[in-house]
Amino acid sequence: MQVPAQFEYRRATSVADAVALLARHGQGARVVAGGHSLIPMMKLRLAQPEVLIDINDLSELGGIGVEAGVLRLGAMVRHAELLASPEVGELVPVLHDAERVIADPIVRNRGTVGGSVCQADPSEDLSGAFAALRAEAVIGDGESVRTVPVREFFTGPYETVVGPAELLLELRVPLWSTGSAYVKVDRRAGDWAVAAAAAALRVVDGRVAEVGIGLTAVGARGFVAAEAEEHLRGGPATDAAFAEAGALAAAHCRPSADQRGPVDYKRHLAGELTVRALRRAAARAGAGAVAA
Ligand SMILES: Cc1cc2nc3c(=O)[nH]c(=O)nc-3n(C[C@H](O)[C@H](O)[C@H](O)COP(=O)(O)OP(=O)(O)OC[C@H]3O[C@@H](n4cnc5c(N)ncnc54)[C@H](O)[C@@H]3O)c2cc1C
């Protein structure tokens, strides 16, 4: 049986209290949200916090709302809550696509949006989706807040810009896209991605006015397929253009071989899934790509 090392447990009463506890206990402290990444790591002794700061009572980190063209998701919004929101499904269906393929209802009932992005697992599904949507992360230290584009939030595998005495407060999704989609290949239902792609599009008069492409589990920097986006922006929203974007996404990602598959297979998936996500996003934008 795997059991964590001994730790002290504190239940934060406010964001300021959580941050004060983090500051007081330094590197030995970690916050726990849904616990679905941190607790398994503690059981395996890959993480050994001396003090665990529970942020589950912080209602100020909850809630889903739309304000001035921006979807706001509190860091403690559970996966299941996001999936149950008709507003999210209508405005940014890429998030519902991604949530449907994250683990199972038990994980989705506890795991949080904030915990997912703060974990910064290269195979995390929401990170690619938020990167495609050009979301922003709002980070606070109890006194001031700062906003960081999600594309600059990840500094490496399992590393983010959130400081040791800071909390992720919310994610803000600007509502510029008119269609979006997420497509994933996993070895069995609910498993982590072998590879996945997210696409968000704004199509005007058959042309790509704006585009975001996120890639999961294939070593794309910041989860973004930047070259593919650049290729599409301003051009026609056609199957031929999407195929070219897919080829660029495949060429520029950096997958690693592991138990989920070899490099060539993952690279092929990155390209093919990019094309499929773009086609589905275009169809949802009411601008189904035309063969060219
Ligand atoms: C069996 C299983 C299968 C899974 N499959 C998938 C999958 O297919 N796809 C997928 O994307 N995910 C998957 N997950 C992960 C799941 O989505 C987790 O819920 C998620 O990774 C972490 O969210 P959490 O709220 O549980 O975070 P926690 O485990 O509580 O925390 C994770 C990390 O984030 C930090 N943290 C949490 N909240 C904050 C905050 N507000 N501010 C600063 N730091 C914070 C913690 O200190 C910790 O370092 C799976 C998990 C399990 C157990």
Side-chain angles (χ1 to χ4, degrees):
M1 189 175 61
Q2 291 159 338
V3 289
Q6 201 167 0
F7 59 89
E8 190 186 322
Y9 175 82
R10 305 295 299 266
R11 211 162 171 108
T13 53
S14 65
V15 168
D17 182 40
V19 169
L21 286 166
L22 280 170
R24 190 178 319 145
H25 294 286
Q27 294 292 345
R30 291 281 280 276
V31 298
V32 62
H36 271 291
S37 290
L38 184 55
I39 304 298
M41 285 173 65
M42 287 169 64
K43 286 181 168 181
L44 293 168
R45 310 274 172 127
L46 294 172
Q48 297 198 30
E50 289 152 21
V51 183
L52 205 55
I53 301 163
D54 189 335
I55 56 172
N56 278 272
D57 288 343
L58 308 190
S59 54
E60 58 209 285
L61 297 182
I64 299 175
V66 177
E67 212 178 287
V70 175
L71 173 71
R72 300 174 71 153
L73 304 171
M76 283 302 293
V77 166
R78 314 274 172 190
H79 293 301
E81 217 179 323
L82 193 66
L83 189 52
S85 162
E87 209 170 23
V88 171
E90 189 184 326
L91 295 169
V92 275
V94 59
L95 292 181
H96 270 196
D97 290 349
E99 284 294 359
R100 275 190 207 98
V101 291
I102 291 178
D104 51 38
I106 297 168
V107 172
R108 293 199 295 263
N109 282 342
R110 288 299 297 171
T112 64
V113 168
S116 286
V117 295
C118 288
Q119 180 65 16
D121 187 314
S123 302
E124 203 79 53
D125 291 295
L126 288 181
S127 305
F130 283 128
L133 291 167
R134 296 171 195 281
E136 293 181 329
V138 182
I139 299 165
D141 64 3
E143 284 177 8
S144 57
V145 295
R146 62 190 178 107
T147 303
V148 177
V150 161
R151 291 170 171 229
E152 294 164 23
F153 181 81
F154 306 101
T155 49
Y158 308 100
E159 285 176 9
T160 73
V161 297
V162 180
E166 287 185 320
L167 281 188
L168 174 68
L169 305 180
E170 66 176 23
L171 286 146
R172 291 187 186 157
V173 181
L175 298 172
W176 57 267
S177 63
T178 48
S180 62
Y182 189 76
V183 190
K184 168 174 169 176
V185 165
D186 44 16
R187 294 171 302 174
R188 54 185 180 273
D191 196 5
W192 293 89
V194 177
L201 282 172
R202 181 175 191 85
V203 181
V204 178
D205 297 333
R207 300 191 82 78
V208 178
E210 190 50 280
V211 56
I213 301 173
L215 291 176
T216 297
V218 291
R221 195 156 164 260
F223 293 88
V224 180
E227 295 80 6
E229 291 177 346
E230 192 56 37
H231 180 74
L232 282 177
R233 193 174 294 111
T238 58
D239 263 348
F242 293 168
E244 287 158 8
L248 283 167
H252 289 278
C253 67
R254 298 276 174 273
S256 328
D258 59 15
Q259 78 280 13
R260 295 197 184 99
V263 167
D264 287 355
Y265 173 54
K266 293 185 182 184
R267 196 181 286 288
H268 169 76
L269 285 180
E272 181 58 30
L273 295 177
T274 295
V275 175
R276 292 186 192 187
L278 283 165
R279 279 198 199 131
R280 193 173 297 176
R284 284 175 171 165
V290 290

